[in-house]
Amino acid sequence: MIRRTLIAALLLAASALPTLAVNPDEVLADPALEARARALSAQLRCMVCQNQSIDDSNAELAKDLRVLVRERLTNGDSDQAVIDYVVSRYGEFVLLKPRFETKTLILWGAPVVLLLLGGTAMAFAARRRAGRVTGVALSDAEAKRLSALLSDRERG
């Protein structure tokens, strides 16, 4: 009974381990090239799944991209050449971690700029409001007039 429970627990734990989608027929014979291919595949987004790398995805397009990466590496391309080739075919979206360029600077910098602008606007608004609240005290004539208005209001 305990043995069956232990075996079931081990099988359950093993099923929770992450599975990689690389098929045995895709694996390169050269371990160094295979390691490079796996590293590159981990950087590329599956265009079907969109939140998985092509290394983790079982989609057909991901398999095609894995095969393409391995073909380019076996043809002698550098890692950067492979990435550039895939980006030229599928666009910047295929990269899981976008490149830091001028066009992405706007994307990354906009929240910071908006936060600074909002903070500055709030500081100016608070300063303006504080200036109104701490105004000059009422003169004697103004205080008497205010008292008269308030007493008339209470009576009537």
Side-chain angles (χ1 to χ4, degrees):
M1 177 75 169
I2 293 174
R3 187 175 183 181
R4 286 184 188 172
T5 306
L6 184 60
I7 291 172
L10 286 174
L11 288 175
L12 183 64
S15 69
L17 295 174
T19 57
L20 298 176
V22 177
N23 298 326
D25 61 331
E26 297 174 26
V27 177
L28 296 173
D30 183 4
L33 277 180
E34 179 60 25
R36 284 177 56 201
R38 295 299 288 268
L40 289 173
S41 295
Q43 297 175 32
L44 299 172
R45 179 188 318 270
C46 173
M47 302 302 282
V48 176
C49 307
Q50 295 189 3
N51 283 333
Q52 286 184 323
S53 69
I54 62 171
D55 202 38
D56 298 330
S57 175
N58 287 324
E60 274 301 310
L61 180 59
K63 179 182 179 190
D64 293 343
L65 283 172
R66 286 192 304 266
V67 170
L68 175 73
V69 165
R70 283 165 173 75
E71 284 175 3
R72 304 285 302 192
L73 288 175
T74 54
N75 289 339
D77 285 359
S78 68
D79 292 358
Q80 190 59 47
V82 173
I83 293 288
D84 290 342
Y85 178 76
V86 174
V87 168
S88 72
R89 290 186 70 186
Y90 295 97
E92 290 281 330
F93 185 72
V94 77
L95 297 175
L96 278 172
K97 184 178 177 186
R99 296 175 178 162
F100 190 76
E101 296 175 343
T102 306
K103 58 186 170 185
T104 56
L105 179 64
I106 296 168
L107 176 67
W108 293 101
V112 174
V113 170
L114 290 174
L115 186 63
L116 290 174
L117 288 174
T120 304
M122 287 176 57
F124 278 126
R127 192 177 204 186
R128 224 157 113 208
R129 179 174 283 175
R132 279 191 241 144
V133 172
T134 61
V136 179
L138 296 176
S139 66
D140 290 336
E142 291 171 335
K144 287 179 186 177
R145 174 80 176 132
L146 180 60
S147 295
L149 287 172
L150 289 174
S151 63
D152 286 346
R153 185 174 175 197
E154 287 175 6
R155 283 187 248 152

